[in-house]
């Protein structure tokens, strides 16, 4: 049962990703297997089901939640006779659509090529095996070798370009002086941009889609005469392609160089605990796990608590109206770092939130300028 719930949650997210990329999901298929079929990922019977559905409904794209091997992708595509994507493809596609600055599009393009390169290699091994792999120099191989060289050249070029951008951004960061730096981190769609808007009274693009924020925005914020810099970062997501983590270096540098992290959590989401884990994992990967952190539990207006009805054993979800004191008694308040419970939308508990941020920034500021304060 647990596995089924998990599968549904994963597919909810995949559906949301597909919607973000501009697609409409007609049907979901789930299959429980010991291990994936090496040729077609799913079993032959299931593949036939999918094929029938694709034909009957004139489906354009079939998306898999897991990463497919190049051979699997090819085999499935041949069988279904339509476009086949995996989760990484989809995420890269969304990033490509939403990249607005040359920095962002360069980072996405690099990630796309890095995703492609081993796949070209994979296709090559595949061919080699088919032909017996002994001393053949067929046209196919030359073609792939040429492709690989083109891709490698392009990767080198993009890396060069990014290095220049990185240096520029490093200089820009350096120019910001000694102000305390605060970075918003969190899973995608938790309300980071909304929070940024409310804190800095600015107008950052917020919408109910995944990855609305691709480029970092930096704002100078003043709370009680204390100025600091607030950065919005790209939303993290489960199974974020490693190519992306790497190529979004300059974006993640904002996190790396921050003095304080505001880890925003969408508490109304059924899998928010998994989201926290995913974000922590990425923070660890970029060496930022030990930074001072405030856990910001957002969307308390939409939080539904599970309650066991007295007359039957069914659990029911009802809107919870906790006071801040009650929130502070929950297990969430006892996670790493300080915790605050807010609604960025309704500005609930906002003065307490501001106060907490102020205190933390002040602490950092005081250690940095012990004689000024
Ligand atoms: P980001 O991807 O983390 O930057 O998230 P956004 O700021 O773009 O917000 C994602 C969605 O959540 C938007 O539809 C917001 O209106 C909504 N949202 C943000 N904060 C709250 C909140 O406190 N309560 C509710 N109910 N929705 C919120």
């Amino acid at each position: 049962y647990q596995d089924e719930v998990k599968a549904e949650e994963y597919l909810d997210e995949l559906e949301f990703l597909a919607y973000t990329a501009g697609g409409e999901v007609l049907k979901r298929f789930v299959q429980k297997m010991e291990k994936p079929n090496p040729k077609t990922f799913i079993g032959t019977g299931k593949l036939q089901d999918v094929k029938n559905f694709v034909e009957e409904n004139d489906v354009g794209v079939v998306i898999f939640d897991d990463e497919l091997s190049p051979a699997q992708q090819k085999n499935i595509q041949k069988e279904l006779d339509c476009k086949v994507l995996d989760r990484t493809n989809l995420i890269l596609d969304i990033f490509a659509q939403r990249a607005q600055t040359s920095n962002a599009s360069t980072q996405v393009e690099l990630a796309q090529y890095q995703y492609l390169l081993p796949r070209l290699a994979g296709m090559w091994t595949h061919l080699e095996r088919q032909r017996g792999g002994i001393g053949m120099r067929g046209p196919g191989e030359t073609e792939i070798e040429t492709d690989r060289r083109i891709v490698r050249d392009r990767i080198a070029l993009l890396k060069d370009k990014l290095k220049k951008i990185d240096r520029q951004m490093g200089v820009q960061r350096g120019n910001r002086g000694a102000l305390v730096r605060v970075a918003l981190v969190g899973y995608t769609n938790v309300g980071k941009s909304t929070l940024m808007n409310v804190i800095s009274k600015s107008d950052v693009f917020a919408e109910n889609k995944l990855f609305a924020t691709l480029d970092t925005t930096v704002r100078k914020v003043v709370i009680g005469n204390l100025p600091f810099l607030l950065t919005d970062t790209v939303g993290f997501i489960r199974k974020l392609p490693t190519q992306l983590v790497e190529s979004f270096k300059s974006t993640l540098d904002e996190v790396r160089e921050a003095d304080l992290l505001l880890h925003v959590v969408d508490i109304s989401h059924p899998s928010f605990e998994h989201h926290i884990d995913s974000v922590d994992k990425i923070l660890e990967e970029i060496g930022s796990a030990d930074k001072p952190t405030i856990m910001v539990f957002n969307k308390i207006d939409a939080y539904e608590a599970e309650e066991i009805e007295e007359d039957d054993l069914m659990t029911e979800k009802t809107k919870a109206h906790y006071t801040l004191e009650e929130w502070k008694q929950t297990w969430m308040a006892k996670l790493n770092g300080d915790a605050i419970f807010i609604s960025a939308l309704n500005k609930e508990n906002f003065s307490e939130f501001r106060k907490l941020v102020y205190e933390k920034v002040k602490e950092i500021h005081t250690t940095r300028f012990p004689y000024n304060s």
Side-chain angles (χ1 to χ4, degrees):
Y1 172 73
Q2 271 302 323
D3 284 349
E4 271 164 47
V5 173
K6 236 189 196 164
E8 282 306 316
E9 275 175 18
Y10 286 1
L11 289 182
D12 280 345
E13 188 174 277
L14 193 70
E15 181 162 346
F16 200 19
L17 280 169
Y19 157 76
T20 304
E24 183 199 354
V25 174
L26 295 183
K27 193 174 166 68
R28 301 171 170 196
F29 292 88
V30 180
Q31 186 171 34
K32 218 169 153 175
M33 287 173 101
E34 282 290 313
K35 57 176 191 261
N37 183 318
K39 284 207 181 97
T40 53
F41 192 73
I42 50 175
T44 333
K46 187 60 93 181
L47 190 61
Q48 190 58 44
D49 290 352
V50 178
K51 186 182 167 134
N52 292 341
F53 186 83
V54 165
E55 278 171 5
E56 278 158 28
N57 298 280
D58 204 16
V59 172
V61 189
V62 174
I63 307 168
F64 285 76
D65 191 44
D66 292 272
E67 197 159 300
L68 299 170
S69 75
Q72 283 167 340
Q73 196 158 4
K74 219 167 108 200
N75 292 338
I76 301 168
Q77 202 147 302
K78 207 165 132 201
E79 187 63 31
L80 299 181
D81 198 21
C82 76
K83 204 170 169 185
V84 173
L85 301 180
D86 64 14
R87 186 186 172 85
T88 308
N89 275 144
L90 185 62
I91 293 177
L92 287 174
D93 199 62
I94 294 170
F95 271 102
Q97 270 180 30
R98 308 199 142 222
Q100 273 173 0
T101 59
S102 116
N103 179 28
S105 43
T106 311
Q107 298 186 66
V108 176
E109 203 183 336
L110 176 61
Q112 281 176 319
Y113 278 123
Q114 278 173 335
Y115 176 76
L116 191 67
L117 189 62
R119 270 146 214 277
L120 289 176
M123 279 190 255
W124 196 84
T125 344
H126 178 71
L127 281 181
E128 187 180 42
R129 213 180 312 123
Q130 260 182 2
R131 290 197 233 145
I134 312 163
M136 23 99 249
R137 290 252 150 210
E141 182 206 351
T142 326
E143 226 167 77
I144 290 158
E145 273 306 303
T146 316
D147 283 355
R148 287 173 66 178
R149 206 166 47 236
I150 294 172
V151 170
R152 278 212 202 90
D153 285 352
R154 189 75 197 144
I155 286 179
L157 203 83
L158 289 167
K159 277 192 173 161
D160 239 31
K161 198 168 156 191
L162 275 180
K163 241 187 230 152
K164 280 192 197 117
I165 296 177
D166 272 351
R167 234 176 284 139
Q168 264 170 11
M169 292 182 83
V171 171
Q172 276 172 20
R173 278 196 298 270
N175 286 345
R176 286 186 211 144
L179 285 182
V180 172
R181 291 182 201 164
V182 182
L184 287 160
V185 296
Y187 211 71
T188 176
N189 213 47
V190 294
K192 295 183 295 297
S193 312
T194 311
L195 193 58
M196 176 96 176
N197 285 341
V198 207
I199 306 176
S200 65
K201 300 189 184 72
S202 62
D203 234 345
V204 176
F205 184 56
E207 63 170 344
N208 195 20
K209 285 192 169 173
L210 300 181
F211 305 119
T213 323
L214 253 187
D215 294 295
T216 51
T217 348
V218 186
R219 293 268 183 286
K220 193 168 164 186
V221 179
V222 183
I223 300 182
N225 284 337
L226 187 64
F228 61 92
L229 294 172
L230 183 67
T231 316
D232 193 356
T233 57
V234 64
F236 298 165
I237 193 163
R238 186 176 61 89
K239 296 198 223 162
L240 185 75
T242 34
Q243 298 93 337
L244 264 181
V245 177
E246 202 182 299
S247 63
F248 268 72
K249 187 183 164 301
S250 60
T251 303
L252 295 171
D253 275 348
E254 294 284 353
V255 178
R256 251 185 235 117
E257 294 182 9
D259 303 295
L260 172 68
L261 302 182
L262 304 183
H263 182 161
V264 188
V265 179
D266 173 359
I267 207 170
S268 73
H269 197 288
S271 20
F272 76 87
E273 292 163 75
H274 295 143
H275 295 175
I276 295 177
D277 289 343
S278 303
V279 172
D280 282 344
K281 218 169 121 208
I282 294 173
L283 288 177
E284 226 163 82
E285 263 174 57
I286 61 170
S288 299
D290 297 328
K291 282 192 191 292
T293 302
I294 300 177
M295 297 296 292
V296 182
F297 292 97
N298 188 30
K299 306 199 190 179
I300 56 168
D301 60 291
Y303 178 75
E304 292 184 327
E306 244 173 47
E307 272 175 19
I308 298 169
E309 296 283 298
E310 265 176 40
D311 43 355
D312 62 349
L313 290 171
M314 295 286 287
T315 55
E316 197 162 286
K317 289 210 154 184
T318 43
K319 276 255 164 90
H321 296 283
Y322 297 163
T323 63
L324 189 53
E325 278 320 305
E326 284 167 333
W327 277 115
K328 283 183 177 164
Q329 299 306 313
T330 61
W331 63 269
M332 296 161 264
K334 296 172 179 76
L335 283 173
N336 294 347
D338 294 271
I340 188 76
F341 298 82
I342 61 161
S343 162
L345 205 64
N346 304 338
K347 297 198 186 181
E348 249 175 285
N349 299 333
F350 220 68
S351 54
E352 288 89 346
F353 167 72
R354 284 167 62 91
K355 192 165 157 254
L356 185 58
V357 174
Y358 174 83
E359 280 166 5
K360 284 281 150 194
V361 172
K362 178 96 186 163
E363 234 172 71
I364 297 164
H365 189 84
T366 315
T367 38
R368 191 166 295 170
F369 305 107
Y371 308 111
N372 284 0
S373 25

